[in-house]
Amino acid sequence: AVVERLATGGAAVSVDTRKSEVISAALLAGARLVNDVSALTFDPRSAEVVAASGAPIILMHHLGSPETMQQDPRYDDVLIEVYQWLAQRIDAAVAVGIDRSRILIDPGFGFGKTVAHNLELMNGLALFHSLRCPLVIGASRKRTIGALSNEAPADRRLGGSIAFAIKAVEQGAQLLRVHDVPETIQALRVWRGLRDQALTPRIG
Protein backbone atom coordinates (compact mmCIF):
# COMPACT_ATOMS: atom_id res chain seq x y z
CA ALA A 1 0.00 0.00 0.00
CA VAL A 2 2.88 2.40 0.81
CA VAL A 3 4.65 1.63 -2.47
CA GLU A 4 1.43 2.12 -4.42
CA ARG A 5 0.70 5.47 -2.77
CA LEU A 6 4.21 6.75 -3.41
CA ALA A 7 4.23 5.52 -7.00
CA THR A 8 0.83 7.02 -7.86
CA GLY A 9 2.01 10.27 -6.28
CA GLY A 10 4.82 10.48 -8.84
CA ALA A 11 7.73 9.18 -6.75
CA ALA A 12 10.28 6.88 -8.38
CA VAL A 13 10.16 4.05 -5.84
CA SER A 14 13.06 1.65 -5.21
CA VAL A 15 12.41 -1.61 -3.37
CA ASP A 16 15.22 -2.95 -1.16
CA THR A 17 14.82 -6.72 -0.79
CA ARG A 18 16.43 -10.13 -1.38
CA LYS A 19 13.11 -11.98 -1.86
CA SER A 20 11.41 -12.68 -5.19
CA GLU A 21 7.89 -12.45 -3.72
CA VAL A 22 8.59 -8.96 -2.39
CA ILE A 23 10.12 -7.92 -5.71
CA SER A 24 7.04 -9.13 -7.59
CA ALA A 25 4.60 -7.41 -5.24
CA ALA A 26 6.53 -4.14 -5.18
CA LEU A 27 6.86 -3.96 -8.96
CA LEU A 28 3.17 -4.72 -9.33
CA ALA A 29 2.45 -1.85 -6.93
CA GLY A 30 4.50 0.56 -9.02
CA ALA A 31 8.11 0.31 -7.84
CA ARG A 32 10.55 1.12 -10.64
CA LEU A 33 13.92 -0.06 -9.31
CA VAL A 34 15.04 -3.20 -7.45
CA ASN A 35 17.92 -3.04 -4.97
CA ASP A 36 19.12 -6.51 -3.98
CA VAL A 37 21.85 -6.44 -1.34
CA SER A 38 22.59 -10.10 -2.14
CA ALA A 39 23.11 -9.32 -5.86
CA LEU A 40 20.51 -11.99 -6.75
CA THR A 41 22.26 -14.76 -4.78
CA PHE A 42 19.78 -15.14 -1.90
CA ASP A 43 16.62 -16.20 -3.73
CA PRO A 44 17.04 -18.31 -6.92
CA ARG A 45 13.78 -16.91 -8.37
CA SER A 46 14.69 -13.24 -7.97
CA ALA A 47 16.74 -13.09 -11.16
CA GLU A 48 13.89 -14.59 -13.18
CA VAL A 49 11.38 -12.12 -11.74
CA VAL A 50 13.63 -9.14 -12.50
CA ALA A 51 14.39 -10.41 -16.00
CA ALA A 52 10.70 -10.89 -16.80
CA SER A 53 9.77 -7.46 -15.44
CA GLY A 54 12.38 -5.48 -17.36
CA ALA A 55 13.01 -3.39 -14.22
CA PRO A 56 16.49 -2.05 -13.51
CA ILE A 57 18.41 -3.84 -10.76
CA ILE A 58 21.17 -2.79 -8.36
CA LEU A 59 23.66 -5.58 -7.70
CA MET A 60 25.46 -4.93 -4.41
CA HIS A 61 28.61 -6.60 -3.17
CA HIS A 62 28.51 -8.29 0.22
CA LEU A 63 30.73 -10.71 2.11
CA GLY A 64 28.96 -13.49 3.97
CA SER A 65 25.50 -13.23 5.51
CA PRO A 66 24.10 -10.07 7.19
CA GLU A 67 24.44 -11.82 10.55
CA THR A 68 28.18 -12.53 10.23
CA MET A 69 29.57 -10.23 7.53
CA GLN A 70 31.18 -7.78 9.98
CA GLN A 71 32.95 -10.49 11.98
CA ASP A 72 36.57 -10.00 10.90
CA PRO A 73 36.08 -9.53 7.13
CA ARG A 74 39.29 -10.24 5.17
CA TYR A 75 40.49 -9.57 1.62
CA ASP A 76 43.85 -9.90 -0.08
CA ASP A 77 42.97 -6.85 -2.19
CA VAL A 78 39.51 -5.47 -1.44
CA LEU A 79 39.31 -3.29 -4.56
CA ILE A 80 40.20 -6.09 -7.00
CA GLU A 81 38.12 -8.75 -5.21
CA VAL A 82 34.98 -6.61 -5.09
CA TYR A 83 35.49 -5.67 -8.74
CA GLN A 84 35.85 -9.30 -9.82
CA TRP A 85 32.84 -10.39 -7.73
CA LEU A 86 30.64 -7.72 -9.28
CA ALA A 87 31.85 -8.66 -12.77
CA GLN A 88 30.76 -12.24 -12.11
CA ARG A 89 27.36 -11.14 -10.81
CA ILE A 90 26.83 -8.94 -13.87
CA ASP A 91 27.61 -11.89 -16.14
CA ALA A 92 25.24 -14.12 -14.15
CA ALA A 93 22.44 -11.55 -14.41
CA VAL A 94 22.93 -11.13 -18.15
CA ALA A 95 22.94 -14.92 -18.59
CA VAL A 96 19.40 -15.18 -17.18
CA GLY A 97 18.04 -12.47 -19.45
CA ILE A 98 18.59 -9.19 -17.59
CA ASP A 99 19.69 -6.58 -20.10
CA ARG A 100 23.09 -5.11 -19.17
CA SER A 101 21.71 -1.61 -19.75
CA ARG A 102 19.39 -2.20 -16.77
CA ILE A 103 22.12 -3.25 -14.33
CA LEU A 104 23.59 -0.89 -11.73
CA ILE A 105 26.40 -1.85 -9.36
CA ASP A 106 27.15 -1.01 -5.73
CA PRO A 107 30.50 -1.97 -4.11
CA GLY A 108 28.67 -2.47 -0.80
CA PHE A 109 30.19 0.16 1.43
CA GLY A 110 29.98 -1.26 4.97
CA PHE A 111 28.73 -4.72 3.97
CA GLY A 112 31.47 -7.09 5.08
CA LYS A 113 34.21 -4.46 5.20
CA THR A 114 36.40 -2.87 7.84
CA VAL A 115 36.94 0.88 8.04
CA ALA A 116 40.17 0.46 6.06
CA HIS A 117 38.37 -1.58 3.39
CA ASN A 118 35.68 1.07 3.05
CA LEU A 119 38.21 3.86 2.66
CA GLU A 120 40.17 1.90 0.06
CA LEU A 121 36.99 1.30 -1.92
CA MET A 122 35.99 4.96 -1.75
CA ASN A 123 39.42 6.06 -2.94
CA GLY A 124 39.33 3.59 -5.83
CA LEU A 125 35.75 3.97 -7.09
CA ALA A 126 36.85 5.04 -10.57
CA LEU A 127 37.99 1.47 -11.26
CA PHE A 128 34.39 0.23 -11.29
CA HIS A 129 33.46 2.32 -14.34
CA SER A 130 35.22 -0.24 -16.53
CA LEU A 131 32.38 -2.66 -15.68
CA ARG A 132 30.19 -0.41 -17.87
CA CYS A 133 27.29 -0.18 -15.41
CA PRO A 134 26.12 2.91 -13.48
CA LEU A 135 27.73 3.14 -10.05
CA VAL A 136 25.59 3.42 -6.91
CA ILE A 137 27.08 4.48 -3.56
CA GLY A 138 25.40 4.24 -0.16
CA ALA A 139 27.78 5.63 2.47
CA SER A 140 25.39 7.96 4.28
CA ARG A 141 25.62 7.75 8.10
CA LYS A 142 27.65 4.53 7.91
CA ARG A 143 29.68 3.27 10.88
CA THR A 144 32.96 4.22 9.20
CA ILE A 145 32.03 7.89 9.66
CA GLY A 146 31.54 7.31 13.37
CA ALA A 147 34.83 5.44 13.60
CA LEU A 148 36.62 8.44 12.09
CA SER A 149 34.87 11.01 14.30
CA ASN A 150 35.06 9.91 17.93
CA GLU A 151 32.28 7.32 17.53
CA ALA A 152 29.66 9.91 16.57
CA PRO A 153 26.18 8.33 16.61
CA ALA A 154 24.27 7.83 13.36
CA ASP A 155 22.25 11.03 13.73
CA ARG A 156 25.45 13.10 14.03
CA ARG A 157 27.19 11.94 10.86
CA LEU A 158 25.95 14.54 8.38
CA GLY A 159 29.35 16.10 7.74
CA GLY A 160 31.00 12.76 7.05
CA SER A 161 28.10 11.67 4.86
CA ILE A 162 28.46 14.78 2.72
CA ALA A 163 32.24 14.27 2.50
CA PHE A 164 31.69 10.75 1.17
CA ALA A 165 28.99 11.94 -1.24
CA ILE A 166 31.31 14.54 -2.76
CA LYS A 167 34.18 12.05 -2.97
CA ALA A 168 31.87 9.60 -4.76
CA VAL A 169 30.60 12.06 -7.37
CA GLU A 170 34.12 13.34 -7.95
CA GLN A 171 34.91 9.82 -9.13
CA GLY A 172 31.84 9.61 -11.33
CA ALA A 173 29.26 7.85 -9.15
CA GLN A 174 25.88 8.24 -10.88
CA LEU A 175 23.53 7.50 -7.99
CA LEU A 176 23.78 8.23 -4.26
CA ARG A 177 21.65 6.79 -1.48
CA VAL A 178 21.43 9.35 1.32
CA HIS A 179 19.42 10.13 4.44
CA ASP A 180 19.87 13.91 4.43
CA VAL A 181 18.58 14.79 0.98
CA PRO A 182 18.34 18.64 1.03
CA GLU A 183 21.73 19.03 2.70
CA THR A 184 23.43 16.64 0.29
CA ILE A 185 21.84 18.32 -2.74
CA GLN A 186 23.02 21.73 -1.53
CA ALA A 187 26.56 20.45 -1.00
CA LEU A 188 26.64 18.89 -4.46
CA ARG A 189 25.31 22.06 -6.09
CA VAL A 190 28.10 24.07 -4.50
CA TRP A 191 30.65 21.42 -5.52
CA ARG A 192 29.33 21.48 -9.09
CA GLY A 193 29.42 25.29 -9.18
CA LEU A 194 33.04 25.31 -8.06
CA ARG A 195 33.94 22.66 -10.62
CA ASP A 196 32.13 24.39 -13.48
CA GLN A 197 33.71 27.74 -12.62
CA ALA A 198 37.14 26.15 -12.51
CA LEU A 199 36.55 24.71 -15.98
CA THR A 200 35.29 27.99 -17.47
CA PRO A 201 37.91 29.47 -19.84
CA ARG A 202 39.20 32.86 -18.77
CA ILE A 203 39.10 35.45 -21.55
CA GLY A 204 41.45 38.42 -21.72
Side-chain angles (χ1 to χ4, degrees):
V2 174
V3 172
E4 189 172 1
R5 286 199 197 106
L6 288 171
T8 55
V13 179
S14 169
V15 58
D16 188 346
T17 182
R18 300 180 296 167
K19 300 177 180 179
S20 58
E21 315 90 72
V22 178
I23 293 172
S24 296
L27 293 175
L28 190 61
R32 294 169 53 189
L33 174 65
V34 177
N35 180 41
D36 186 340
V37 297
S38 78
L40 300 174
T41 62
F42 179 78
D43 184 338
R45 289 200 62 248
S46 292
E48 300 169 17
V49 171
V50 172
S53 73
I57 173 80
I58 299 173
L59 303 177
M60 194 194 80
H61 177 272
H62 65 284
L63 182 67
S65 67
E67 297 77 21
T68 62
M69 64 185 180
Q70 286 304 113
Q71 295 176 10
D72 193 28
R74 293 171 182 258
Y75 302 85
D76 290 328
D77 186 321
V78 66
L79 199 57
I80 297 302
E81 289 177 49
V82 171
Y83 178 96
Q84 292 174 336
W85 190 93
L86 285 171
Q88 292 169 356
R89 296 313 306 154
I90 292 169
D91 289 344
V94 171
V96 297
I98 299 174
D99 194 285
R100 192 184 187 97
S101 67
R102 294 186 176 274
I103 298 174
L104 301 87
I105 54 172
D106 182 343
F109 197 88
F111 281 74
K113 283 101 178 169
T114 64
V115 171
H117 294 147
N118 289 326
L119 296 177
E120 189 170 348
L121 280 173
M122 189 62 73
N123 279 323
L125 286 182
L127 172 68
F128 294 98
H129 293 304
S130 62
L131 290 172
R132 297 182 293 112
C133 294
L135 183 59
V136 181
I137 298 299
S140 175
R141 299 192 188 182
K142 289 291 178 73
R143 192 185 65 81
T144 291
I145 299 170
L148 295 173
S149 51
N150 297 317
E151 300 303 329
D155 62 353
R156 296 182 63 84
R157 297 175 185 172
L158 173 60
S161 298
I162 288 175
F164 276 144
I166 290 174
K167 181 67 174 178
V169 297
E170 278 182 343
Q171 296 189 80
Q174 287 93 345
L175 185 64
L176 300 177
R177 287 200 303 270
V178 302
H179 296 86
D180 306 287
V181 177
E183 294 85 352
T184 305
I185 289 174
Q186 183 182 78
L188 291 176
R189 282 175 174 164
V190 172
W191 167 80
R192 185 176 296 141
L194 290 166
R195 182 201 60 182
D196 292 348
Q197 181 64 27
L199 294 174
T200 300
R202 298 182 66 181
I203 300 173

